[in-house]
Structure formats: structure tokens, C-alpha cells
Amino acid sequence: TSLSITISEIDMIDLKSATIVSSNPSNRQVLGQIAVASSDDIELAVAKARNAFEQWRDVPLRQRLQIVETFRQLLMKQK
């Protein structure tokens, strides 16, 4: 069996499968599972974010605004 540690009423970590189970506290219905990142995963994500920022900060403001507006419109279509 796998070891599970209860963090709160709504979240539990399953150390064997490295996931967090999120559940509704009112009825304990499982809402989903979230993968737990390793320290290597986090280091890779931070490195990629730094690289993306280096590129993004060189994009002119007007172009960044257009990109963000396009993204906002795409999100609104998903509602």
C-alpha cells in the first residue's frame, strides 16, 4: 500500500504516486488529482520561466498588449 499524509480536509498527498488529491470538503467527492513536482521539475520550470522573461521583456509594449488582448479574447470564447 502507499503512504498517504493528510494535509487538510480537502487535500491529501499520495507519496507513492506523487499526486495531491483534491476533494470537496462538504461531501468528500474527489475533484481531481494534481501531480507533485520534484525539485528537478521546479528547477527546470524556473529556468524556462527566466528564459521566457528574457525574451518577453524585449517585446515592445504595444505588441505585448496585443498578445495579452488576443489571449483575453480566446479566454472569453471558452466561457
Side-chain angles (χ1 to χ4, degrees):
T1 67
S2 63
L3 173 65
S4 294
I5 300 171
T6 301
I7 297 175
S8 69
E9 288 187 12
I10 61 170
D11 293 324
M12 180 177 281
I13 294 181
D14 181 336
L15 296 178
K16 186 175 183 179
S17 63
T19 59
I20 297 174
V21 177
S22 179
S23 58
N24 183 329
S26 66
N27 61 14
R28 305 271 189 221
Q29 176 185 3
V30 174
L31 301 173
Q33 293 187 7
I34 304 131
V36 176
S38 69
S39 59
D40 289 340
D41 294 332
I42 294 168
E43 287 179 24
L44 179 61
V46 169
K48 287 186 174 193
R50 284 188 177 131
N51 183 46
F53 173 73
E54 293 296 322
Q55 295 175 35
W56 179 251
R57 74 177 178 184
D58 292 334
V59 174
L61 178 59
R62 187 164 298 226
Q63 187 177 351
R64 283 191 268 165
L65 290 171
Q66 289 173 337
I67 291 168
V68 171
E69 175 59 22
T70 300
F71 180 66
R72 185 193 70 79
Q73 290 174 3
L74 291 170
L75 287 176
M76 296 305 286
K77 286 182 183 179
Q78 295 297 318
K79 277 187 150 185

